[in-house]
Amino acid sequence: MSFVYDKIMGGKKGLTGLIILATLILIIFPLLLDSFRLNLVGKYLTYAFAAVSLVLLWGHGGILSLGQGIFFGLGGYAMAMFLKLEASSPENTTIQSTPGIPDFMDWNQLTELPWFWEPFSSLTFTVLAVLIIPAAFAYIIGSAMFKRRVGGVYFAIITQVIAVILTVLIVGQQGVTGGINGITDLRTLHGWDITSDSAKTILYFINCGLLLTVILASRFILTSKFGRILLAVRDKEDRVRFSGYDVANFKIFIFCFAAMISAIGGAMFTLQVGFMSPSFVGIVPSIEMVIFAAVGGRMSLIGAVYGTLLINFGKTAFSESFPEMWLFLVGGLFIAVVMLFPNGLAGLWNDHGHHITKKFAFIAKIFSKSAPQIFEKKVEDAR
Amino acid sequence: MDAYTSSELISIFAMQGFSGISLFSVLLLMALGLAIIFGQMGVINMAHGEFMTVGAYTTYFMATLTETYLPSFMPYYFVFAIIMAFIVAGILGYLVEFAFIRHLYKRPLDTLLATWGLSLIMQQSFRSLFGAREVSPTLPEWLLGSYQPTETIYIPINGMFVLGLTTVITIGTYYLMFKSRWGLRVRATTQNRAMSGAVGINTKKVDRYTFALGCGIAGIAGAAFTTIASTGPTTGTLYIVDTFMVVVFGGAMSLFGTIASAFSIAQTQSILEFFISGSMAKVYTLFALVLILMFKPEGLFASKVRR
């Protein structure tokens, strides 16, 4: 038990944080928000997967990837391809010149399904693809870069370029990818209507469950010996190398794991929002994911979730009322986070949180003081 | 390929080559500024594209001003616009360095985030000031038209002008960085900040002027850019990744590498664009770059420096 408590829950502090987060997303949001807003929160929480992956990669590994959108997109597209194939069954697409292929392919004069779409008609394959393709892709990038000791700034720039390549490729190959509009009109998962309110609520809870699981798994990695070495690599890579560790393998592993987490987020995004498009793959979304992690606190897994929620709530609120102010605000926030509080919300809480907990401490005190008195009084009364 | 005769192919290569030269010029001007900021100072300036846009809007502003108040001055305004673009972008760069870059020299990855924030603010400012629509300045007559050496080849004059401008700026930068006292101080500061300070170089001042110079050159790139395309609030973002690739591919410390890599990237993309769609040309070019960088991470012409 103590193993689970220390290593996975993260001790008393980690457990409290996790319980508060779980209460918020599993109980408070579903009770307070209508189904439209809840679906919106669900969408934000899928970005949180990418933010959590950046906490592992950037906060603890010192590897800044500006390409988490790649993996988010790969996961999302894999899921979208499966749903699209189901949506374009020959019965649904009889008006097309070639029934049975997705509508955008028909518009682009394709007459047969491309070979790499074929396996996505199986759900098992799709789920495996969501988990394995992004991780395998990350392995290729990671082993090419880290084995040659490319890191830091160069790694950031190269991941960014790969994100650009993928976006341009998706937009350019309209016939097989759906182009700039992405893959739209996704309705059912094995006949289950995912656009209905009840399905969206169920997907929201699945999403929350997966997010909490991912946080637990990440915490397990970080509290293990692996996590310690990762931190050491971040701070003094050469010393770790001279101590006999193969630094590159540690970096490759965490990069693959981060890719897998982001891809799960992408797949859940497609399920909850009902489409996937290249605007979630490129530079801008990838850097936004870094902001989520930075605002939440680059060292804190749970902070990343709050950062994601905060920024996205802000974005929605501002773009409804003052769209012009939003870019100024988020730009300023970026600079402020980097300059003034590099550890983000989680850092602020760690530095100043005890003032707040102190204010509420009197509640605990009343209970702890009055409880014995009441008890003693009762005992006296009984005499 | 069989569809073209050999003389047609030569014309295609010549013309696409020249259109590649316009792209090359803008990329090189951008990359020069970035090579100074990134290569010499280690600062990842994601707002570099926006400094280019500042230069482009300055040129547009000057053109509109001249057109309204001094129409007879139109043939000559462009030269002043270039100088103004340099000054405005340079001053802005100076202020930005003073405001926050100087606090972040020890955290290069954080400069990336902070300057990205800056680029968002700048984009929104452009949108508020000049509107979301793309604008282009009225160019002086002598920049328009094209020169026709043979029947099938047209070479636009603006492209040649931009090439000339780029040559001048490149040579100027070379002298400034490698032949002047000031360049010596910049290079000394890059190599060993503490020692440079100890021998009496004001490293803070060097940093500030280096950053301002890099941004100023981006401003000139913006002025050159107005002659070949129109400017919108997000123009800069289109070029920033390509520019970074130029600098990284060329080897961050080498001026010659920057020129060679800007040339090869621009030419590959431009010639490919004729045969396949523009987006695929970009995919192939960038993909080739990533592959080469995987095998040769230090870039084409890396000087042997310990990092």
Side-chain angles (χ1 to χ4, degrees), chain B residues 209-280:
Chain B
Y209 281 101
T210 315
F211 195 82
L213 176 73
C215 293
I217 295 178
I220 296 180
F225 180 78
T226 56
T227 65
I228 54 174
S230 51
T231 314
T234 52
T235 302
T237 29
L238 298 178
Y239 283 86
I240 186 69
V241 173
D242 294 22
T243 312
F244 265 113
M245 280 318 268
V246 169
V247 175
V248 172
F249 185 56
M253 306 298 265
S254 149
L255 185 70
F256 182 67
T258 308
I259 299 171
S261 90
F263 187 77
S264 48
I265 291 176
Q267 290 302 336
T268 316
Q269 194 165 325
S270 171
I271 289 176
L272 275 180
E273 256 171 27
F274 189 81
F275 294 104
I276 48 182
S277 70
S279 64
M280 285 315 282

Side-chain angles (χ1 to χ4, degrees), chain A residues 12-265:
Chain A
K12 187 181 166 197
K13 208 173 142 208
L15 187 63
T16 324
L18 202 65
I19 289 173
I20 294 174
L21 179 69
T23 322
L24 185 71
I25 61 175
L26 290 175
I27 300 171
I28 298 180
F29 283 153
L31 285 179
L32 289 183
L33 301 172
D34 57 47
S35 82
F36 171 72
R37 295 273 164 188
L38 191 66
N39 186 235
L40 216 54
V41 174
K43 184 172 103 180
Y44 303 159
L45 287 176
T46 61
Y47 302 147
F49 284 89
V52 167
S53 81
L54 277 162
V55 169
L56 291 171
L57 201 57
W58 176 43
H60 290 261
I63 308 161
L64 179 56
S65 157
L66 292 182
Q68 286 313 96
I70 302 169
F71 309 116
F72 189 84
L74 283 176
Y77 265 98
M79 186 51 85
M81 282 159 84
F82 169 73
L83 296 176
K84 188 72 194 172
L85 280 184
E86 190 176 307
S88 15
S89 63
E91 302 86 63
N92 288 346
T93 50
T94 41
I95 48 162
Q96 290 176 186
S97 49
T98 317
I101 62 170
D103 46 12
F104 58 83
M105 290 186 186
D106 196 55
W107 301 332
N108 286 285
Q109 278 91 41
L110 260 70
T111 48
E112 112 186 273
L113 205 60
W115 60 269
F116 62 90
W117 274 74
E118 300 274 355
F120 284 95
S121 52
S122 138
L123 182 61
T124 328
F125 178 84
T126 307
V127 171
L128 287 176
V130 166
L131 296 173
I132 290 169
I133 292 179
F137 192 49
Y139 180 80
I140 297 171
I141 302 174
S143 48
M145 312 285 311
F146 298 134
K147 293 273 185 199
R148 284 167 205 280
R149 301 188 187 175
V150 177
V153 174
Y154 290 85
F155 184 78
I157 293 173
I158 288 189
T159 46
Q160 192 173 40
V161 172
I162 296 173
V164 173
I165 295 179
L166 200 63
T167 322
V168 177
L169 198 64
I170 292 173
V171 174
Q173 297 299 306
Q174 199 174 3
V176 292
T177 59
I180 190 102
N181 298 321
I183 300 179
T184 52
D185 264 344
L186 310 171
R187 297 173 194 287
T188 55
L189 176 78
H190 267 314
W192 179 45
D193 182 8
I194 56 169
T195 54
S196 70
D197 278 352
S198 67
K200 283 190 168 168
T201 314
I202 295 173
L203 283 171
Y204 173 83
F205 281 107
I206 296 176
N207 187 25
C208 292
L210 280 174
L211 182 62
L212 293 173
T213 317
V214 160
I215 292 177
L216 290 178
S218 307
R219 184 164 282 152
F220 174 67
I221 289 181
L222 291 182
T223 48
S224 67
K225 190 183 168 201
F226 179 92
R228 304 264 162 204
I229 294 171
L230 194 67
L231 215 54
V233 169
R234 183 195 70 180
D235 292 337
K236 271 279 178 285
E237 186 171 335
D238 286 338
R239 279 192 201 170
V240 181
R241 186 177 289 127
F242 296 154
S243 316
Y245 290 103
D246 188 351
V247 171
N249 284 342
F250 286 87
K251 289 182 163 185
I252 293 170
F253 175 81
I254 200 72
F255 188 47
C256 293
F257 185 70
M260 196 187 275
I261 298 179
S262 307
I264 297 174

Side-chain angles (χ1 to χ4, degrees), chain B residues 57-119:
Chain B
Y57 274 120
T58 309
T59 313
Y60 169 71
F61 185 68
M62 291 286 285
T64 326
L65 217 61
T66 322
E67 220 175 1
T68 342
Y69 298 106
L70 246 174
S72 59
F73 195 61
M74 274 310 275
Y76 317 105
Y77 89 92
F78 202 74
V79 179
F80 291 93
I82 293 172
I83 299 169
M84 273 309 281
F86 178 77
I87 293 174
V88 172
I91 290 178
L92 214 58
Y94 184 92
L95 294 176
V96 166
E97 204 278 350
F98 179 74
F100 58 89
I101 302 286
R102 64 186 169 129
H103 303 291
L104 299 172
Y105 283 122
K106 284 181 187 148
R107 298 184 279 158
L109 290 179
D110 286 6
T111 58
L112 191 156
L113 296 180
T115 49
W116 176 261
L118 177 71
S119 81

